[in-house]
């Protein structure tokens, strides 16, 4: 397999640094090709701005979306953006690895998403009509590829459990899983999570390495999270609301994941 690791931690000697090095070595030893975008080492520019295009459509002002579309379509993007897009197209599996900072991505990685996910590349893809609302949520440029998060958190697992004070980890990661990864087409694997990082000693580090190795060894076979495709019949278009007969009466993030428990008997997608 061809695996891209997009890695965000400022300190090579950190837990994340050690696990990134372990992952690269483990994957290469298994015969995979690996590229790493080490964002801090690359001094990745985290802010999306007018420097991202070599030609603004209107010299008087910068349009984040329209200038992105123009730059992508006309080959006018800054070289660092194009290089990351090429890595994404090259990979068949993408791993985002980061420490959970303020319940989300470190800013440098959020900035990678904002700048690399150009209009025409990750959004604004495909036609819009009565049955099809663009190529997104299950379709798109990155369809057919797999993605997985490796996330470390200082909090305990219980703090992120269904009744934990931080909120369930699946809910906190939903904007990344569903928004950043599923939206442009990735199949999203369940994350590999490390909790309570201040309590990692050599013994626990060995356990973490072994769990991570198992997840890396099964990247191609792990069942993805069963997000519902946007254009598969489950959603009304153009409202993009889930059909009333699917997960009837329920709301919230979980309804966008197929689950026998919340489907009604007649909830099979319309052909
Ligand atoms: P490190 O600090 O490098 O290491 C953690 C432990 O692993 C240490 O005990 C160290 O001894 C051990 N270790 C490191 N390397 C090795 C090795 N090679 N072998 C054996 N042991 C090793 N947490 C939350 O839960 N939610 C949040 O919202 C949140 N927000 C944060 C925001 C900020 C700005 C910051 C700085 C932290 C936040 N945290 C949060 C905590 C953060 O998630 C953790 O600090 C982080 O995940 C730890 O990862 P690290 O790679 O920095 O670990």
């Amino acid at each position: 397999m061809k695996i891209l690791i997009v890695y965000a931690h400022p300190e090579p000697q950190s837990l994340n640094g050690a696990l990134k090095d372990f992952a690269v070595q483990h994957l290469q030893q298994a015969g995979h090709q690996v590229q790493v975008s080490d964002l801090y080492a690359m001094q990745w520019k985290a802010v999306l701005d007018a420097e991202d295009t070599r030609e603004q459509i209107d010299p008087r002002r910068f349009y984040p979306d329209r200038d992105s579309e123009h730059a992508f379509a006309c080959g006018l993007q800054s070289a660092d953006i194009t290089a990351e897009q090429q890595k994404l197209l090259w990979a068949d599996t993408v791993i985002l690895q980061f420490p959970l900072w303020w319940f989300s991505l470190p800013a440098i990685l959020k900035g990678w998403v904002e700048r690399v996910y150009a209009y025409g590349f990750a959004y604004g893809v495909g036609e819009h009509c009565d049955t099809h609302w663009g190529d997104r949520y299950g379709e798109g440029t990155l369809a057919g590829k797999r993605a997985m998060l490796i996330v470390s958190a200082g909090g305990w697992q219980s703090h992120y459990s269904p009744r934990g004070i931080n909120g369930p980890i699946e809910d906190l990661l939903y904007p990344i899983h569903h928004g950043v990864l599923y939206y442009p087409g990735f199949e999203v694997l369940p994350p590999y999570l490390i909790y309570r990082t201040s309590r990692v000693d050599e013994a626990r580090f060995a356990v973490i390495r072994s769990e991570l190795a198992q997840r890396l060894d099964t990247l191609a076979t792990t069942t993805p999270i069963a997000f519902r495709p946007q254009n598969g019949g489950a959603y009304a278009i153009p409202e993009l609301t889930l059909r009333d007969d699917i997960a009837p009466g329920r709301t919230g993030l979980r309804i966008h994941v197929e689950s026998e428990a919340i489907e009604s008997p007649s909830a099979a997608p319309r052909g």
Side-chain angles (χ1 to χ4, degrees):
M1 288 190 332
K2 295 173 182 166
I3 297 160
L4 170 64
I5 302 177
V6 184
Y7 163 75
H9 197 291
E11 174 51 59
Q13 296 183 65
S14 62
L15 177 63
N16 271 276
L19 292 176
K20 183 263 293 171
D21 291 344
F22 170 77
V24 171
Q25 190 182 32
H26 187 84
L27 290 166
Q28 286 177 336
Q29 278 175 355
H32 303 299
Q33 298 176 58
V34 183
Q35 292 197 67
V36 179
S37 288
D38 181 343
L39 300 184
Y40 280 95
M42 292 158 67
Q43 297 188 304
W44 177 258
K45 170 179 171 284
V47 291
L48 182 160
D49 62 20
E51 301 297 313
D52 293 345
T53 177
R54 297 206 293 279
E55 177 191 79
Q56 288 180 213
I57 49 175
D58 178 349
R60 292 166 304 177
R61 64 154 290 184
F62 172 60
Y63 292 90
D65 48 2
R66 291 172 56 200
D67 276 313
S68 172
E69 179 182 27
H70 178 65
F72 177 73
C74 300
L76 296 167
Q77 301 177 112
S78 79
D80 59 345
I81 294 176
T82 310
E84 295 305 298
Q85 290 168 347
Q86 290 304 319
K87 289 182 202 171
L88 283 170
L89 294 174
W90 167 86
D92 40 53
T93 300
V94 175
I95 293 172
L96 305 184
Q97 186 191 342
F98 56 94
L100 194 70
W101 280 358
W102 288 109
F103 306 100
S104 189
L105 302 166
I108 199 168
L109 181 52
K110 179 66 165 28
W112 180 90
V113 175
E114 290 174 12
R115 296 182 63 232
V116 175
Y117 272 31
Y119 191 128
F121 181 77
Y123 70 107
V125 178
E127 298 300 318
H128 288 67
C129 66
D130 288 349
T131 55
H132 189 101
W133 200 252
D135 295 347
R136 53 181 217 167
Y137 291 123
E139 298 171 287
T141 303
L142 302 173
K145 302 176 186 291
R146 305 187 134 215
M148 184 177 89
L149 304 183
I150 299 175
V151 187
S152 66
W156 301 16
Q157 185 165 1
S158 60
H159 304 172
Y160 292 96
S161 66
R163 287 168 62 83
I165 189 160
N166 291 344
I169 194 71
E170 309 90 77
D171 290 2
L172 295 175
L173 296 180
Y174 181 88
I176 308 171
H177 280 151
H178 193 256
V180 171
L181 297 175
Y182 191 58
Y183 186 106
F186 282 114
E187 293 187 330
V188 185
L189 307 186
Y192 178 63
L193 302 161
I194 305 145
Y195 295 104
R196 212 176 177 183
T197 47
S198 64
R199 294 301 179 93
V200 177
D201 55 14
E202 282 303 327
R204 191 162 161 230
F205 187 66
V207 172
I208 291 169
R209 265 196 324 238
S210 139
E211 289 173 352
L212 179 57
Q214 194 272 336
R215 291 301 310 271
L216 297 174
D217 291 341
T218 52
L219 283 173
T221 53
T222 299
T223 304
I225 301 170
F227 290 126
R228 302 178 192 279
Q230 174 188 273
N231 297 312
Y235 295 92
I237 296 177
E239 296 83 1
L240 298 184
T241 50
L242 193 60
R243 273 174 28 212
D244 290 343
D245 59 323
I246 302 177
R250 295 182 61 119
T251 59
L253 303 179
R254 306 286 168 86
I255 66 170
H256 303 295
V257 179
E258 289 175 16
S259 157
E260 294 297 326
I262 62 170
E263 307 291 327
S264 75
S266 60
R270 288 183 292 218

